Amino acid sequence: MTPPPPPLRIGNASGFYGDRFDAVREMLTGGPLDVLTGDYLAELTMLILGRDRAKDPARGYATTFLRQLEDTLGLAMERGVRLVTNAGGLNPAALADAIRALAERLGIDCRVAHVEGDDLLGARDWGPGVVTANAYLGGAGITACLRGGADVVVTGRVTDAALVTGPAAAHFGWAADDWDALAGAVVAGHILECGTQATGGNYSFFTEHDLRRPGFPLAEIHPDGSSVITKHPHTGGAVTVGTVTAQLLYETAGARYPGPDVTARLDSARLIPDGPDRVRVHGVRGEAPPRTLKTGLTRLGGHRNEVVFVLTGLDIEAKAALVRDQMEGAMSKRRPAEVRWTLSRTDHSDAAVQEEASALLRLVVRDRDAAAVGRAISGAAVELALASYPGFHVTAPPGKGSPYGVFEAVDTPADTVPHTAVLPDGSRLTIPPAPTTPAAEGPADEPSLTPSLRPSLPPPLTPSLPPPLSPGPTRRAPLGAIAGARSGDKGGSANIGVWARSEDAWRWLAHTLTVDRLRELLPETAPLKITRHPLPRLRALNFVVEGLLGEGVAAQARFDPQAKAVGEWLRSRHLDIPEVLL
């Protein structure tokens, strides 16, 4: 009997532009790998790179990756590890050239390829102020580069999961319509994409593990698309069903997770322990992708300024009212287009530490005109230093304001995007869109009619919930006593994934945490549209809160502009929880 082929070991060494610099070396030396990926792009990063490119057309890529290769490129080539990264940003060709120059300078034999075509800035008139316009490409271009002999593949804007689907398809020879295998790789890629979030970083139950320096994750991908999520031995953090569930829920929405390669059915994924620091992900089913590609637009939205007044001791509300009236009067001649006041009652009565006796009054102003949020605001705040409430001071000297960005996602027909693989020999290969079917674009509650339909395909997206927990005595306690959560941003919307740690807790959570209950617990969400997506196989609920983040992270519309801590806020809220669960 022929033994099964060994799995493809794909690691991650970066979850964002600014992640741990030494991670590339740590992953290359920590244990065996076949492919090492790095994710450097996010919505805010694209705006930053766009402004860099505006200053110098030769820029627009993540320079950190090039610096990381200074002492690791040779190591990767010696160990036969292929490198795949989206660090090319807005200029993947320039980064590829810079890597070739580095390899030549270091005397390293290295074949470099890149993927382009995602940059659609000049493809049409996107409207005023647009800095970047990039389609989210799939992994097929990466696949072509690797099949063409590349040791290093640089891309621009691809989906985060494409960094895994591309190498996996190249290694196993998957066809473009091997939906289940591709979907399994998409799920593995989504788990890896944020680096140490899969190994315990930002984890609700962080006190149960040593998370002082969590190791970066890797996935052992099998020919059928199933995987085992793990990490190198003797590295910090932990890989558990909980840490993997948390990351799987991060920045997702419903049970169907559409992408350019495949639509992955998150409601089909199963997670089971596979030994210490090992979680097996299997059963993922896939369907055809949409006919369109998500295209991210970033534009300059205007200018923003902020002043944070510190209010200490007694009469906090009266102090806030006084300085607010004074600032409103100063702004009356030329009021900015948007003025937002927020009072954070961080003060405690009879506090032994001055900072604990203080509250924060935050003023945020926005306007298209820089002058309207500059000296007019900062000067007015400074002039109150000796003329306002007792104990007047601010957290930082008021500045002149700064530009802020806006993110918008639009759909672009996939067959209009020039997805191109530029192979190591310089030849250019046009990558056709993935095959699609109308069914993948139908209503979310309709069953798939894709060619891969089988009797064992998961049912339509009307998940059955478990029976409610039997009534019994309850105790007032925080939701986090029995449930974990992770939240994040998708443009101006936020997602909040909540999962139970036991089957009984899931039975209670599924019937208790409704949309109406979420609005009660998180009053900020009350006026917004909220959609709840149950994921029974993960014992999880995923909520999408539309508009919570305004125009996206770059606009900094709220205190937590990426909704990173909304889930922890929810876990801190108290409900009547059955005592049997506590």
Side-chain angles (χ1 to χ4, degrees):
M1 182 176 178
T2 304
L8 180 71
R9 292 173 61 90
I10 303 180
N12 171 282
S14 177
F16 67 99
Y17 194 4
D19 209 341
R20 189 189 306 167
F21 187 85
D22 293 334
V24 174
R25 172 168 284 278
E26 291 173 12
M27 289 301 289
L28 289 173
T29 58
L33 281 180
D34 300 302
V35 179
L36 183 60
T37 67
D39 180 9
Y40 292 79
L41 301 185
E43 294 166 3
L44 180 60
T45 312
M46 299 302 284
L47 179 63
I48 294 170
L49 295 178
R51 296 178 67 185
D52 287 347
R53 182 176 63 177
K55 298 174 185 176
D56 181 357
R59 295 288 296 276
Y61 58 82
T63 56
T64 297
F65 179 68
L66 191 62
R67 291 190 291 113
Q68 288 173 307
L69 292 187
E70 285 278 352
D71 69 340
T72 59
L73 181 60
L75 182 61
M77 297 304 101
E78 290 171 9
R79 300 195 170 204
V81 178
R82 290 176 161 184
L83 305 176
V84 180
T85 179
N86 61 16
L90 301 176
N91 203 345
L95 179 55
D97 286 342
I99 295 171
R100 292 186 190 98
L102 173 66
E104 183 175 358
R105 175 166 61 83
L106 297 177
I108 298 170
D109 182 16
C110 177
R111 295 163 294 180
V112 183
H114 74 274
V115 178
E116 59 185 39
D118 61 294
D119 193 342
L120 304 180
L121 186 61
R124 70 162 102 155
D125 181 7
W126 297 102
V130 173
V131 177
T132 67
N134 294 80
Y136 285 67
L137 302 179
I142 297 170
T143 299
C145 290
L146 292 171
R147 288 175 176 170
D151 300 307
V152 180
V153 181
V154 173
T155 77
R157 178 75 274 187
V158 297
T159 64
D160 301 335
L163 301 177
V164 171
T165 62
H171 182 76
F172 294 115
W174 294 338
D177 61 353
D178 279 339
W179 306 131
D180 291 348
L182 288 167
V186 162
V187 169
H190 180 70
I191 294 168
L192 294 189
E193 69 178 74
C194 288
T196 53
Q197 279 197 169
T199 58
N202 301 345
Y203 182 51
S204 291
F205 304 103
F206 68 98
T207 58
E208 297 176 359
H209 307 287
D210 180 0
L211 298 179
R212 286 172 292 182
R213 189 180 174 85
F216 278 72
L218 64 93
E220 298 172 353
I221 310 288
H222 292 268
D224 63 353
S226 64
S227 64
V228 172
I229 307 301
T230 184
K231 62 187 182 71
H232 284 325
H234 313 301
T235 57
V239 178
T240 69
V241 169
T243 66
V244 173
T245 298
Q247 178 54 29
L248 188 53
L249 294 172
Y250 181 64
E251 294 183 347
T252 59
R256 281 192 171 105
Y257 187 57
D261 295 313
V262 65
T263 297
R265 289 281 296 263
L266 299 182
D267 61 337
S268 63
R270 293 183 180 274
L271 310 180
I272 59 173
D274 191 59
D277 290 318
R278 293 174 64 84
V279 173
R280 185 169 177 247
V281 183
H282 69 107
V284 181
R285 295 299 176 87
E287 301 170 354
R291 291 193 177 106
T292 57
L293 299 181
K294 174 183 172 181
T295 299
L297 309 179
T298 62
R299 60 167 53 92
L300 293 177
H303 292 78
R304 176 186 186 277
N305 204 351
E306 177 177 314
V307 184
V308 181
F309 301 92
V310 182
L311 316 173
T312 304
L314 305 177
D315 305 317
I316 295 295
E317 299 286 346
K319 290 172 180 174
L322 172 59
V323 72
R324 179 169 177 166
D325 286 347
Q326 290 175 313
M327 288 297 297
E328 290 285 354
M331 293 186 289
S332 61
K333 294 182 180 178
R334 172 60 174 92
R335 185 177 176 83
E338 180 182 342
V339 177
R340 176 177 295 190
W341 291 93
T342 307
L343 176 60
S344 300
R345 294 300 303 265
T346 52
D347 55 302
H348 300 276
S349 63
D350 194 23
V353 178
Q354 180 178 334
E355 189 170 351
E356 295 176 358
S358 301
L360 301 177
L361 178 66
R362 178 176 282 101
L363 167 63
V364 177
V365 293
R366 304 174 194 274
D367 201 284
R368 301 288 299 179
D369 181 6
V373 303
R375 170 64 186 169
I377 303 301
S378 301
V382 170
E383 290 169 2
L384 292 177
L386 305 180
S388 190
Y389 61 85
F392 179 100
H393 66 288
V394 294
T395 56
K400 61 181 180 179
S402 59
Y404 72 88
V406 172
F407 177 84
E408 178 186 1
V410 299
D411 290 331
T412 302
D415 59 6
T416 67
V417 177
H419 191 173
T420 304
V422 184
L423 305 183
D425 62 4
S427 59
R428 303 174 65 84
L429 182 62
T430 299
I431 306 300
T436 60
T437 69
E441 299 178 277
D445 58 353
E446 290 184 1
S448 166
L449 298 177
T450 65
S452 62
L453 183 65
R454 289 173 297 282
S456 58
L457 190 68
L461 299 184
T462 53
S464 58
L465 297 179
L469 200 63
S470 300
T474 63
R475 188 192 326 154
R476 199 75 176 166
L479 177 62
I482 64 163
R486 178 162 290 166
S487 54
D489 63 313
K490 278 293 185 184
S493 299
N495 95 290
I496 312 168
V498 187
W499 78 94
R501 306 191 80 186
S502 70
E503 190 60 30
D504 282 347
W506 165 238
R507 291 172 60 190
W508 176 83
L509 183 72
H511 294 276
T512 302
L513 193 57
T514 62
V515 168
D516 288 342
R517 181 60 62 87
L518 185 77
R519 295 185 199 277
E520 294 173 8
L521 295 173
L522 306 183
E524 271 189 70
T525 70
L528 304 174
K529 179 181 178 181
I530 302 174
T531 306
R532 186 181 102 144
H533 302 280
L535 296 168
R537 290 188 178 179
L538 299 177
R539 295 197 299 228
L541 302 170
N542 201 10
F543 296 88
V544 178
V545 184
E546 298 185 22
L548 181 66
L549 306 180
E551 295 175 299
V553 55
Q556 296 184 332
R558 65 188 300 275
F559 169 68
D560 175 14
Q562 289 182 282
K564 295 289 190 182
V566 173
E568 287 302 295
W569 176 28
L570 176 62
R571 292 183 69 241
S572 74
R573 300 290 282 158
H574 287 224
L575 300 87
D576 293 323
I577 298 176
E579 288 188 354
V580 67
L581 301 180
L582 298 171

